[in-house]
């Protein structure tokens, strides 16, 4: 990924939370600490919630966010991309966005909600929130995907409307969890496979692939062909070129 496409990164390697990147919302008692290479968030007792949310506003679509974190399966915590009003308790308004709810009684849900306070599309994940896991959410205008440790875990075909708002991480009363890093970027590229056509059958062992990639606001450096001829997806070849448009064949 080209660095110019990153909208927000935080490796949490400092001694204090970088409050130029984050804001906090706390209902009651909450604790935010950075140290040992992670951000540690602890909510207080009954009625208390603690969240951090980014100072980055997300407009448009094609966003990918990746978290590496751990928490207790008995505790409820939430992370992803939410659109909510400042000063509001995020959970009390059923926020619009694409996010994960995991731990406690909420049964590892992947949630897509287009209107604040309205019903949501959900699917149940098959992951255990204990231990360190890498969660990756890919959100575009029509399909929303959740990957856990590099494996597709949930997929929802739901069209998004409006903007995605903020990156948010937080927990319900009594939750404690640690985040190793957060990385958010926007995919500004468009890739078109010009040939061969879908379901093409070749009579020879040599097939020529022709594709065009374009990007705005960044510079492309390569384009790769991935195949699963052996039953496992792997990168077959890479064309290294530089520019706003790459045509390869």
């Amino acid at each position: 990924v080209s660095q110019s496409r990153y909208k927000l990164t935080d490796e949490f390697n400092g001694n204090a939370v970088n409050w130029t990147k984050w804001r906090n919302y706390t209902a009651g008692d909450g604790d935010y600490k950075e140290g040992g290479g992670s951000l540690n968030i602890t909510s207080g007792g009954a009625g208390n919630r603690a969240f951090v949310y980014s100072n980055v506003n997300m407009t448009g679509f094609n966003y990918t966010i990746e978290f590496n974190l751990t928490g207790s399966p008995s505790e409820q915590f939430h992370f992803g991309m939410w659109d909510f009003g400042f000063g509001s308790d995020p959970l009390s308004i059923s926020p619009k966005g694409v996010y994960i709810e995991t731990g406690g009684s909420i049964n590892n849900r992947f949630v897509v909600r287009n209107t604040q306070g309205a019903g949501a599309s959900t699917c149940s994940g098959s992951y255990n929130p204990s231990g360190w896991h890498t969660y990756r959410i890919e959100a575009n205008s029509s399909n929303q995907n959740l990957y856990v440790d590099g494996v597709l875990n949930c997929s929802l075909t739901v069209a998004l409307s409006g903007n995605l708002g903020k990156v948010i991480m937080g927990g319900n009363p009594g939750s404690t969890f640690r985040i190793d890093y957060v990385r958010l970027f926007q995919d500004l590229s468009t890739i078109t496979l010009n040939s061969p056509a879908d379901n093409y059958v070749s009579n020879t062992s040599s097939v020529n692939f022709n594709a065009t990639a374009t990007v705005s606001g960044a510079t492309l450096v390569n384009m790769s062909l991935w195949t699963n001829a052996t039953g496992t997806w792997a990168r077959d070849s890479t064309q290294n070129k530089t520019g706003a448009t790459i045509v390869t064949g």
Side-chain angles (χ1 to χ4, degrees):
V1 177
S2 170
Q3 186 66 31
S4 62
R5 287 164 55 193
Y6 276 101
K7 300 296 183 181
L8 171 70
T9 62
D10 202 330
E11 305 297 314
F12 303 116
N13 288 327
N15 296 317
V17 180
N18 185 343
W19 293 115
T20 64
K21 292 183 177 182
W22 304 98
R23 300 182 186 182
N24 68 76
Y25 171 85
T26 301
D29 184 30
D31 189 28
Y32 310 88
K33 292 181 180 178
E34 186 170 329
S38 65
L39 171 65
N40 307 305
I41 299 179
T42 302
S43 297
N48 298 328
R49 301 185 180 113
F51 291 84
V52 295
Y53 54 96
S54 67
N55 280 325
V56 174
N57 277 309
M58 289 178 281
T59 58
F61 302 108
N62 297 336
Y63 282 95
T64 295
I65 188 165
E66 189 172 282
F67 302 81
N68 185 251
L69 61 84
T70 183
S72 168
S74 64
E75 301 163 348
Q76 295 184 9
F77 50 98
H78 316 260
F79 50 98
M81 295 169 274
W82 289 8
D83 186 14
F84 65 96
F86 292 120
S88 300
D89 181 341
L91 289 181
S92 69
I93 60 174
S94 299
K96 168 187 172 182
V98 181
Y99 50 94
I100 298 170
E101 299 177 329
T102 192
S105 62
I106 52 179
N107 195 28
N108 301 339
R109 293 192 303 178
F110 183 45
V111 180
V112 179
R113 179 179 282 110
N114 257 320
T115 303
Q116 178 177 301
S121 299
T122 65
C123 66
S124 296
S126 57
Y127 52 88
N128 188 331
S130 63
W132 287 98
H133 295 289
T134 299
Y135 300 89
R136 180 182 177 96
I137 298 173
E138 297 179 352
N140 61 45
S141 59
S142 58
N143 294 286
Q144 324 310 323
N145 297 312
L146 167 66
Y147 294 81
V148 181
D149 297 329
V151 177
L152 181 63
N153 200 270
C154 277
S155 184
L156 290 169
T157 304
V158 180
L160 292 177
S161 61
N163 298 318
L164 287 170
K166 308 281 189 182
V167 175
I168 187 161
M169 305 173 290
N172 274 14
S175 64
T176 298
F177 59 101
R178 298 168 59 198
I179 306 121
D180 179 42
Y181 65 78
V182 176
R183 298 166 186 161
L184 170 73
F185 63 91
Q186 185 177 23
D187 187 356
L188 303 174
S189 62
T190 301
I191 301 174
T192 303
L193 179 63
N194 303 315
S195 64
D198 289 348
N199 302 313
Y200 172 77
V201 177
S202 175
N203 294 321
T204 70
S205 60
S206 177
V207 179
N208 185 54
F209 286 83
N210 181 277
T212 302
T214 60
V215 68
S216 60
T219 299
L220 290 168
V221 295
N222 62 56
M223 182 162 55
S224 300
L225 172 67
W226 288 73
T227 67
N228 66 341
T230 63
T232 302
W233 284 101
R235 185 166 52 192
D236 181 87
S237 60
T238 299
Q239 292 284 331
N240 293 307
K241 297 184 179 181
T242 301
T245 300
I246 292 178
V247 180
T248 185

